[in-house]
Amino acid sequence: MSSLRCFQRLKSVFCVQVNSGVRRISAAPSSVQQKESLVTMENPYKEAQKGCVLCSITVDYKNIQLLSQFISPHTGRIYGRHITGLCGRKQKEVSKAIKKAQAMGFMSVTHKHPQFMKDPNICGIKLLD
Amino acid sequence: MPRYELSLILKAMQRPETAATLRRTIETLIARGAVVRDLENLGDRLLPYKIDKHNERHSRGSYFLVDFYAAPSILTSFLDHLQRDVDVVRSTVLKKDDRVSSSNCCGPQQ
């Protein structure tokens, strides 16, 4: 019994309870904290604006090879904007040029010229060939 | 005077007859006070579709391009003249736009 009490007394001596909950208040420097002025600059990670495929190319009704790349090889229908990926202005120019060429007897309406069938596919369409 | 472009499709003929038709057309233009600037031959090709003109079905043709300056008042009579010409399959006059749109289309050009 007494040994237990001794042990308890020893325990109280040795175990120095440190109240970890107490926050130490750090002494703020007397001088005013000077914040660094924000350096204003243009976003350095900005990516260059991407243009459409025909950005720097003039569209002409006589250039039927170029125009034939935007029509279906089976039916000769003009592809929409979601397929060609052209911007508004160029899509309209291409569409108008195709209709002009078809009316003037330069380009066929119902099919694509067989000479241009092997041209690279710039429209995002997968044909079931 | 505004600048026009005439795209001419002639019947598939022998060389001297084609030359005579072209000569006739350009002389008509000059007679009406036009200044012919350029005459280009785009070659003889198969027409993209069969064209019926002057009671004849054409499948081949010679393509020509005439660049000229003219007063707008002569155009109707000139187109009428071309319609009457038996050797001409199809003719279209378009206004030529000299200014190239320099404004960037969808972004800066690379």
Side-chain angles (χ1 to χ4, degrees), chain A residues 52 61-62 87 102-105, chain B residues 5 7 49 63 90 105-106:
Chain A
C52 68
Y61 69 90
K62 297 179 282 267
C87 72
Q102 287 170 349
M104 291 164 70
Chain B
E5 196 173 57
S7 89
Y49 43 84
Y63 286 72
R90 194 160 284 192
C105 144
C106 13

Side-chain angles (χ1 to χ4, degrees), chain B residues 38-74:
Chain B
D38 202 9
L39 169 63
E40 276 172 38
N41 181 3
L42 305 170
D44 294 1
R45 334 174 191 163
L46 206 68
L47 296 177
Y49 43 84
K50 293 216 176 78
I51 301 177
D52 292 323
K53 196 89 180 170
H54 304 294
N55 296 321
E56 229 182 274
R57 197 157 194 150
H58 305 269
S59 46
R60 291 200 72 92
S62 327
Y63 286 72
F64 292 95
L65 212 60
V66 184
D67 230 349
F68 62 97
Y69 291 102
S73 47
I74 65 157

